[in-house]
Amino acid sequence: SEAPVKHIGKVFFTLAGSNYVCSGNAVTSANESTVSTAGHCLNEGPGAFATNFAFVPAYENGAEPYGKWTAKSLHAPTQWSANGDMAYDTGFAVMNTLNGQTLTDVVGGSGVAFNEARGLTYKSFGYPAASPFNGQTLKSCTGTATNDPNNPQFGTQGIPCDMTGGSSGGPWFIGTSSSGVQNSVNSYGYNRSAVMYGPYWGSVIQQTYASAATS
């Protein structure tokens, strides 16, 4: 369990008529308004984009200390939005201003890194909502990344982690603290395996970030 972190938050959205929760993180960007999350937290992959997307930084037990930020636009690699390719399960949301301020002016933002070495040590965060968790508090996992042996074609890496649904989209920071640079997101796991996998942030995801960050 972790105390709330200013730039990490809970995500709320509607997809295909149902309401869901995920996790996200404010990242540094030219527009000072960009949030990273999983691709499946903002697009059906393949299919439609979400509606009612909102980000609540430092959420805890219903509290919204920095307000609820609504999305202006949603961005995902076409490999995700057109094909649902798990290798690209990352998305970025551009938030509207709130009370005349931009998101990262209020909560700060994490640096982002792309095309890094594999096998790094990461600390990941999220708001797992499926049992035994309830989605009300921030959790974390720390470990060294290894390749997914079940679906190597995804090019993903996993760290030891028992977070459940709702933690999707939570940030992976290089190193062992929330002050590191972000280099992936919680994407998926397998039943009976306490490992969380995240996509490799290469040039395609970098281009999606760049397009969101300047929109």
Side-chain angles (χ1 to χ4, degrees):
S1 292
E2 297 277 346
V5 176
K6 259 179 112 166
H7 48 84
I8 301 172
K10 190 168 166 104
V11 166
F12 301 83
F13 61 100
T14 306
L15 211 50
S18 297
N19 295 326
Y20 297 97
V21 292
C22 272
S23 304
N25 184 49
V27 293
T28 54
S29 61
N31 59 24
E32 301 184 344
S33 302
T34 302
V35 168
S36 67
T37 189
H40 71 264
C41 297
L42 50 68
N43 179 278
E44 289 173 345
F49 278 89
T51 56
N52 305 321
F53 186 100
F55 176 68
V56 180
Y59 178 95
E60 187 173 45
N61 294 315
E64 302 177 352
Y66 303 102
K68 189 174 208 169
W69 301 71
T70 59
K72 180 167 67 171
S73 61
L74 303 175
H75 306 258
T78 54
Q79 289 89 338
W80 175 260
S81 58
N83 302 314
D85 186 336
M86 291 301 294
Y88 302 97
D89 184 19
T90 296
F92 297 93
V94 179
M95 314 313 289
N96 291 304
T97 55
L98 184 62
N99 302 321
Q101 293 181 289
T102 59
L103 175 64
T104 58
D105 260 354
V106 175
V107 301
S110 304
V112 288
F114 303 93
N115 300 300
E116 296 292 306
R118 299 179 73 86
L120 301 177
T121 294
Y122 291 98
K123 184 164 188 175
S124 75
F125 290 82
Y127 287 91
S131 177
F133 305 101
N134 64 8
Q136 295 303 305
T137 56
L138 186 65
K139 308 294 183 188
S140 71
C141 300
T142 306
T144 301
T146 55
N147 295 338
D148 181 354
N150 303 297
N151 285 286
Q153 72 277 15
F154 293 164
T156 51
Q157 301 183 96
I159 60 171
C161 192
D162 63 356
M163 285 196 278
T164 58
S167 65
S168 287
W172 286 30
F173 301 107
I174 296 173
T176 56
S177 85
S178 61
S179 59
V181 295
Q182 187 176 344
N183 186 227
S184 189
V185 294
N186 296 322
S187 174
Y188 66 94
Y190 297 99
N191 289 336
R192 300 176 300 282
S193 154
V195 180
M196 176 68 71
Y197 292 93
Y200 179 80
W201 276 18
S203 303
V204 169
I205 290 172
Q206 183 173 22
Q207 285 161 7
T208 306
Y209 160 76
S211 137
T214 55
S215 70

